[in-house]
């Protein structure tokens, strides 16, 4: 399993808090006014499709996929606490505790594989991309969102334990003719993948930064075909509710959306 065990434990024991967090637009504006509209805009007509949602969390995306035409929707997540909530909230849908690197489905089971902000929790994408390709029907699609490496490359400068600045760039020092560098996009010394800690709804979790070149090469090696990559802009709802986030997202992205085809 290439997901850090502390991430699994955090989402398992903190499932109720996470459910409350993502269910409240005032707590999760990046979901409500940014990521969800962006990923849904890239989905095909769902009518009659069989769909599996990887890292389904509290099941809200599975509900949306079913309500918008999918014939069969299966949600899987490695955190039992989240699956328990999903089963309670959406008892008519199908949910399973499952490692997305070891999908317990037959070959060519689904027309669409969907995943919202999950893959960045994996240190390696080799197994999950292989499993996605295996369970997809011919010409099926894998549509997923992920953290953008521009965001995770930022260097955080702290002042009295609070983030003072988040920087990525360079300053030429005239006296020495050298650069003062901020951030690390390539993380070449670590093979392009860097483990990072975050707190989501009070849960300690660990995700992995990787540059776009590594993402593209991992996808190419899997045999899946890239149809599209989107660096989304914020919605007007974000502008109305959170002007500072809107201003930031108009300049550089937090997330990206990938559309792949078997």
């Amino acid at each position: 399993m290439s997901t850090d065990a502390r991430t699994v434990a955090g989402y398992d024991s903190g499932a109720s808090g996470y459910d409350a967090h993502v269910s409240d637009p005032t707590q999760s504006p990046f979901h409500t006014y940014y990521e969800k509209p962006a990923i849904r805009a890239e989905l095909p007509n769902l009518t009659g499709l069989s769909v599996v949602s990887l890292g389904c969390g509290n099941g809200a995306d599975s509900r949306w996929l079913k309500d918008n035409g999918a014939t069969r929707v299966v949600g899987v997540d490695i955190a039992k606490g989240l699956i328990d909530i999903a089963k309670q909230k959406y008892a008519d849908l199908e949910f399973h505790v499952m490692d997305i690197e070891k999908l317990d489905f037959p070959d060519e089971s689904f027309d669409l594989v969907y995943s919202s902000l999950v893959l960045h929790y994996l240190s390696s994408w080799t197994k999950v991309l292989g499993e996605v390709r295996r369970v997809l029907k011919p010409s099926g699609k894998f549509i997923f969102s992920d953290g953008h490496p521009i965001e995770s490359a930022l260097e955080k400068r702290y002042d009295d334990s609070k983030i003072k600045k988040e920087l990525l760039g360079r300053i030429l020092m005239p006296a020495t003719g050298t650069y003062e560098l901020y951030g690390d996009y390539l993380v070449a010394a670590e093979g392009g993948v860097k483990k990072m800690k975050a707190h989501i709804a009070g849960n300690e979790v660990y995700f992995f930064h990787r540059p776009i070149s590594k993402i593209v090469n991992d996808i190419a090696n899997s045999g899946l075909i890239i149809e599209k990559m989107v660096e989304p802009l914020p919605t007007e709802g974000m502008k109305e509710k959170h002007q500072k986030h809107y201003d930031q997202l108009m300049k550089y992205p937090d997330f990206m959306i990938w559309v792949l085809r078997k």
Side-chain angles (χ1 to χ4, degrees):
M1 180 180 69
S2 62
T3 304
D4 190 282
R6 291 167 292 185
T7 299
V8 179
Y11 277 120
D12 193 7
S13 63
S16 295
Y18 177 76
D19 174 48
H21 173 76
V22 296
S23 299
D24 183 353
T26 63
Q27 293 189 42
S28 56
F30 279 74
H31 284 79
T32 305
Y33 305 115
Y34 184 50
E35 187 266 343
K36 295 304 178 201
I39 192 171
R40 290 171 180 174
E42 301 307 322
L43 294 175
N45 183 342
L46 295 170
T47 303
L49 298 188
S50 57
V51 185
V52 60
S53 176
L54 305 185
C56 66
N58 69 347
D61 282 344
S62 296
R63 174 81 277 161
W64 189 92
L65 292 163
K66 180 68 173 178
D67 289 348
N68 282 271
T71 301
R72 181 193 182 200
V73 180
V74 183
V76 302
D77 202 290
I78 200 169
K80 182 180 182 299
L82 288 172
I83 290 296
D84 288 344
I85 289 173
K87 287 180 175 179
Q88 181 180 9
K89 296 180 76 168
Y90 311 110
D92 60 317
L93 299 181
E94 184 179 348
F95 297 101
H96 301 281
V97 178
M98 193 180 297
D99 185 344
I100 63 174
E101 294 182 302
K102 299 176 182 178
L103 296 176
D104 189 17
F105 302 113
D107 296 354
E108 301 183 359
S109 298
F110 298 99
D111 301 294
L112 172 67
V113 177
Y114 170 95
S115 186
S116 172
L117 299 175
V118 173
L119 264 64
H120 51 249
Y121 293 122
L122 303 177
S123 61
S124 170
W125 286 12
T126 301
K127 290 181 180 179
V128 69
L129 290 175
E131 283 293 88
V132 167
R133 189 175 188 280
R134 181 183 65 79
V135 302
L136 273 176
K137 295 178 182 179
S139 299
K141 291 191 176 183
F142 179 30
I143 299 177
F144 69 96
S145 57
D146 189 45
H148 199 292
I150 287 291
E151 173 67 21
S152 52
L154 294 169
E155 179 177 333
K156 295 175 174 58
R157 292 290 179 100
Y158 295 88
D159 183 9
D160 296 329
S161 299
K162 295 182 179 179
I163 296 174
K164 182 71 172 180
K165 297 178 181 179
E166 297 177 305
L167 305 168
L168 178 64
R170 64 190 182 217
I171 298 174
L172 179 62
M173 310 303 290
T176 62
T178 60
Y179 285 118
E180 186 172 307
L181 302 173
Y182 299 94
D184 188 351
Y185 173 80
L186 291 175
V187 288
E190 299 178 58
V193 178
K194 177 173 63 175
K195 180 184 281 192
M196 307 183 73
K197 181 169 71 172
H199 289 87
I200 299 178
N203 304 318
E204 182 177 296
V205 299
Y206 291 81
F207 68 99
F208 295 86
H209 164 93
R210 47 177 55 79
I212 290 176
S213 57
K214 184 165 183 59
I215 292 172
V216 170
N217 289 334
D218 284 349
I219 293 170
N221 290 335
S222 77
L224 293 166
I225 299 167
I226 297 173
E227 287 196 342
K228 191 176 184 181
M229 191 273 266
V230 178
E231 295 170 305
L233 295 175
T235 62
E236 286 300 305
M238 183 69 89
K239 184 176 183 179
E240 294 170 7
K241 301 291 185 179
H242 299 277
Q243 183 72 50
K244 68 175 182 179
H245 296 325
Y246 179 87
D247 292 342
Q248 172 216 313
L249 294 169
M250 290 296 292
K251 297 291 186 180
Y252 64 90
D254 259 24
F255 303 139
M256 51 188 174
I257 315 297
W258 293 84
V259 180
L260 312 184
R261 175 172 50 84
K262 181 173 178 178

